[in-house]
C-alpha cells in the first residue's frame, strides 16, 4: 500500500461534507428553534446535544460493523452510499418543515444518517494510508473539514440573508458531491476473507455482532496490562471536555467578562479556527518528524498555558487591539491568544486519531475509530453541562470557564504521559 496525497485530498471531500452539514446545523438550527418554534433556551441546549447522544451510541457500533462487513464495493462504502443521501434529504427537509414535529423528525433522520456514515468515512483514511503517513493524511482531512466549516459560516451567512433555507440546500448539495467523489475515486484495499465474513454476509445480526465486538474491544482496552490505549482515550476525553466547554460558553465569556458584543466574541472563535486550518498539514508532518506523543503533549501544554492566561490577565489587557488582519479583522490580545490556541489544537487533534488506530491491526480500524468518537462525543455531552453548572453555582462568572479548562487540559497531559504505543509503524514492502 502506497501513500497518495491526491487520494487523501479526494477522501477529504467526505469529511468536507460532514463539516459543512454540522457547521450549518449548529449555526442556524438554534435560530429556527428560537424564532420559528419559540423554544426556550434550556430546551434548545438539550436539542443541540441530541446529535452527540446519537453519535455516542451509534458511531462505535457502525465502526465495528464496517470492520466485519464484506461487499463488492468495500466494507466502508455501503454506509457512505446509504448515509450521505439520507442526510442530504433530511437536511433539505429541516427548513421546509411546517411544524415542530416535522422539524424534529427531520432532525432525527439527519442525526441517525450522519451517525451511520461518519465513522466509516473517517476510517477510510487509515484504510488507504500506510501507518507512517497517517498524521500527514489526517492533517489533509482536517484541512478539508476546516475549509468546509469556513464555507458554511461565511457563505452560509450570506445565503441565509437571501433565504433561510439556502444554507441547508448548500449543505445538502456539498455532502452529495463529497460522497460521489469518494465513491468514484477511492478504492478500498482488499480485505482477506476470514471466519467472520459469512456472518457479515448473511445479514443475520451484523449490528449485534458489531456491538459485541465493540464491547469486547472496550473490555480489552480497560483490562489490558499495557494501558496505552486506555490512557490516550482518557486523555481524549479530558481535552475534549475542556475544548467543548470553552466553545459552548466562549461567546457568553466575551459578552459578560470582556464586555464585547456577541458578534465580536464569535469573531474571536474564527481567529482560532483559521490558524487551526492553516496548521493542519504542518501538524501532521511535525508529528511524523518528532513523534505523535511529543507533538500532542506540546499542544496540550500550550492549550493549558493559553487558556490560563485568559483567566489571569486583566480585561483591560485582553481587549487591547494589536493589529487588523484580512479575513480575521481586529485582533486584540485575547485574539492573539486564540490564534495560538488554534495552532495548539491542531497539534493535538491531527495526531490523536492516528495514534488510536495504530494501537490496533487493520481488521479493527473502524472499531478503534468508533472508540475515539465514543470518548470524544461523551466529552462533548458532559463538557457544556459541567461548565454550565459550575458557572451557575458561582453566580454566572463566565471567566471561570478559563479556570476550569486548564485543569482538564492538565489531566489530559498527565494521561498522555503514560502512553507508550501509537507512533507510526514501520512500512513493510508491498
Amino acid at each position: 500500500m502506497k501513500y497518495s496525497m491526491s487520494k487523501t485530498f479526494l477522501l477529504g471531500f467526505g469529511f468536507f461534507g460532514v463539516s459543512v452539514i454540522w457547521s450549518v446545523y449548529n449555526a442556524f438550527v438554534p435560530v429556527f428553534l428560537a424564532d420559528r418554534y419559540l423554544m426556550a433556551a434550556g430546551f434548545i441546549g438539550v436539542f443541540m446535544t441530541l446529535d452527540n447522544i446519537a453519535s455516542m451510541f451509534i458511531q462505535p457500533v457502525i465502526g465495528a460493523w464496517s470492520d466485519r462487513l464484506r461487499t463488492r464495493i468495500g466494507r466502508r462504502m455501503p454506509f457512505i452510499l446509504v448515509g450521505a443521501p439520507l442526510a442530504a434529504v433530511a437536511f433539505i427537509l429541516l427548513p421546509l418543515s411546517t411544524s415542530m414535529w416535522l422539524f424534529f423528525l427531520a432532525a432525527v433522520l439527519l442525526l441517525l444518517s450522519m451517525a451511520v456514515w461518519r465513522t466509516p468515512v473517517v476510517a477510510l483514511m487509515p484504510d488507504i494510508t500506510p501507518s507512517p503517513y497517517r498524521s500527514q493524511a489526517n492533517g489533509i482531512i482536517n484541512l478539508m473539514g476546516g475549509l468546509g466549516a469556513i464555507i458554511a459560516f461565511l457563505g452560509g451567512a450570506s445565503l441565509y440573508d437571501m433565504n433561510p433555507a439556502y444554507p441547508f440546500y448548500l449543505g445538502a448539495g456539498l455532502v452529495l458531491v463529497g460522497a460521489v467523489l469518494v465513491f468514484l475515486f477511492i478504492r478500498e484495499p482488499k480485505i482477506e476473507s476470514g471466519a467472520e465474513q459469512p456472518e457479515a454476509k448473511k445479514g443475520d445480526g451484523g449490528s449485534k455482532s458489531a456491538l459485541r465486538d465493540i464491547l469486547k474491544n472496550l473490555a480489552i482496552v480497560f483490562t489490558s496490562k499495557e494501558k496505552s490505549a486506555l490512557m490516550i482515550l482518557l486523555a481524549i476525553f479530558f481535552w475534549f471536555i475542556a475544548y467543548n466547554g470553552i466553545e459552548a460558553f466562549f461567546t457568553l465569556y466575551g459578552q459578560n467578562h470582556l464586555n464585547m458584543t456577541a458578534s465580536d466574541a464569535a469573531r474571536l472563535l474564527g481567529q482560532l479556527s483559521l490558524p487551526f486550518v492553516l496548521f493542519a498539514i504542518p501538524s501532521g508532518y511535525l508529528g511524523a518528524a518528532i513523534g505523535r506523543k511529543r507533538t500532542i503533549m506540546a499542544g496540550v501544554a500550550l492549550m493549558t498555558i493559553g487558556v490560563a492566561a485568559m483567566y489571569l490577565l486583566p480585561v483591560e489587557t485582553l481587549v487591547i487591539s494589536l493589529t487588523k488582519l484580512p479575513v480575521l479583522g481586529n485582533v486584540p490580545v485575547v485574539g492573539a491568544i486564540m490564534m495560538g490556541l488554534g495552532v495548539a489544537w491542531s497539534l493535538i487533534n491531527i495526531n490523536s486519531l492516528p495514534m488510536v488506530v495504530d494501537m490496533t491491526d487493520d481488521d479493527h480500524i473502524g472499531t478503534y475509530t468508533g472508540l475515539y468518537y465514543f470518548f470524544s462525543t461523551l466529552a462533548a455531552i458532559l463538557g457544556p453541562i459541567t461548565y454550565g453548572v459550575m458557572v451557575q453555582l458561582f453566580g454566572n462568572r463566565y471567566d471561570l470557564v478559563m479556570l476550569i479548562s486548564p485543569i482538564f487540559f492538565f489531566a489530559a497531559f498527565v494521561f498522555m504521559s503514560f502512553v507508550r504505543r501509537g507512533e507510526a509503524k514501520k512500512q513493510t514492502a508491498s
Side-chain angles (χ1 to χ4, degrees), residues 72-388:
R72 287 191 298 175
I73 59 173
R75 53 180 179 167
R76 318 292 186 197
M77 208 64 72
F79 296 95
I80 297 171
L81 295 182
V82 171
L86 284 177
V89 171
F91 211 53
I92 291 172
L93 291 176
L94 277 174
L96 300 179
S97 299
T98 56
S99 70
M100 182 64 217
W101 283 111
L102 289 175
F103 189 90
F104 178 76
L105 290 175
V108 169
L109 176 60
L110 175 70
L111 302 183
L112 293 177
S113 56
M114 290 296 288
V116 162
W117 76 290
R118 180 172 181 176
T119 297
V121 78
V122 173
L124 265 176
M125 184 277 288
D127 279 348
I128 67 170
T129 307
S131 175
Y133 300 98
R134 285 173 180 170
S135 286
Q136 300 94 311
N138 201 39
I140 293 173
I141 297 294
N142 278 271
L143 170 66
M144 297 297 288
L147 291 176
I150 291 171
I151 289 173
F153 287 134
L154 299 181
S158 300
L159 290 173
Y160 187 86
D161 290 335
M162 300 178 193
N163 186 317
Y166 285 174
F168 294 84
Y169 299 163
L170 172 70
L174 290 177
V175 83
L176 287 175
V177 170
V180 168
L181 288 173
V182 170
F183 175 68
L184 291 178
F185 294 104
I186 301 300
R187 291 291 176 265
E188 296 187 40
K190 296 289 184 182
I191 303 297
E192 295 297 327
S193 299
E196 293 176 322
Q197 185 180 354
E199 181 181 345
K201 274 188 170 180
K202 290 176 187 175
D204 55 351
S207 59
K208 291 182 180 179
S209 299
L211 179 59
R212 288 195 297 269
D213 199 19
I214 195 75
L215 292 175
K216 176 183 176 181
N217 280 277
L218 191 59
I220 291 172
V221 166
F222 274 92
T223 58
S224 174
K225 290 183 178 179
E226 208 287 317
K227 299 294 185 183
S228 288
L230 177 60
M231 292 296 103
I232 193 171
L233 289 171
L234 290 174
I236 288 165
F237 174 75
F238 280 107
W239 72 53
F240 269 109
I241 278 190
Y243 184 82
N244 282 285
I246 294 172
E247 190 176 47
F249 288 98
F250 190 84
T251 304
L252 291 170
Y253 162 80
Q255 283 182 298
N256 292 277
H257 183 65
L258 302 179
N259 301 313
M260 291 181 167
T261 64
S263 59
D264 285 340
R267 192 171 290 111
L268 290 175
L269 287 172
Q271 294 176 4
L272 180 149
S273 299
L274 187 58
F276 172 83
V277 170
L278 294 176
F279 213 73
I281 294 178
S283 292
Y285 280 92
L286 186 62
I290 69 170
R292 294 166 180 169
K293 176 181 174 179
R294 288 181 180 177
T295 306
I296 290 172
M297 292 186 73
V300 175
L302 289 172
M303 292 293 288
T304 306
I305 295 168
V307 176
M310 286 195 285
Y311 176 77
L312 295 172
L313 291 175
V315 173
E316 295 79 9
T317 302
L318 290 171
V319 298
I320 293 173
S321 179
L322 297 176
T323 186
K324 286 189 176 182
L325 295 175
V327 180
L328 296 179
N330 180 54
V331 181
V333 170
V334 66
I337 295 174
M338 292 292 283
M339 293 172 70
L341 295 183
V343 174
W345 187 239
S346 73
L347 298 177
I348 300 168
N349 217 29
I350 300 306
N351 291 285
S352 53
L353 177 62
M355 281 202 83
V356 172
V357 298
D358 273 334
M359 290 185 182
T360 187
D361 54 41
D362 290 347
D363 290 335
H364 295 89
I365 284 175
T367 301
Y368 272 65
T369 303
L371 288 176
Y372 172 91
Y373 279 116
F374 177 84
F375 280 85
S376 60
T377 304
L378 180 61
I381 295 169
L382 295 180
I385 295 173
T386 302
Y387 279 61

Side-chain angles (χ1 to χ4, degrees), residues 390-418:
M390 294 297 291
V391 167
Q392 189 169 342
L393 282 176
F394 288 92
N396 291 329
R397 281 190 55 191
Y398 286 95
D399 61 315
L400 291 180
V401 169
M402 306 307 169
L403 176 62
I404 301 169
S405 283
I407 298 171
F408 287 113
F409 278 124
F410 180 73
F413 186 91
V414 171
F415 282 115
M416 272 303 302
S417 68
F418 292 105

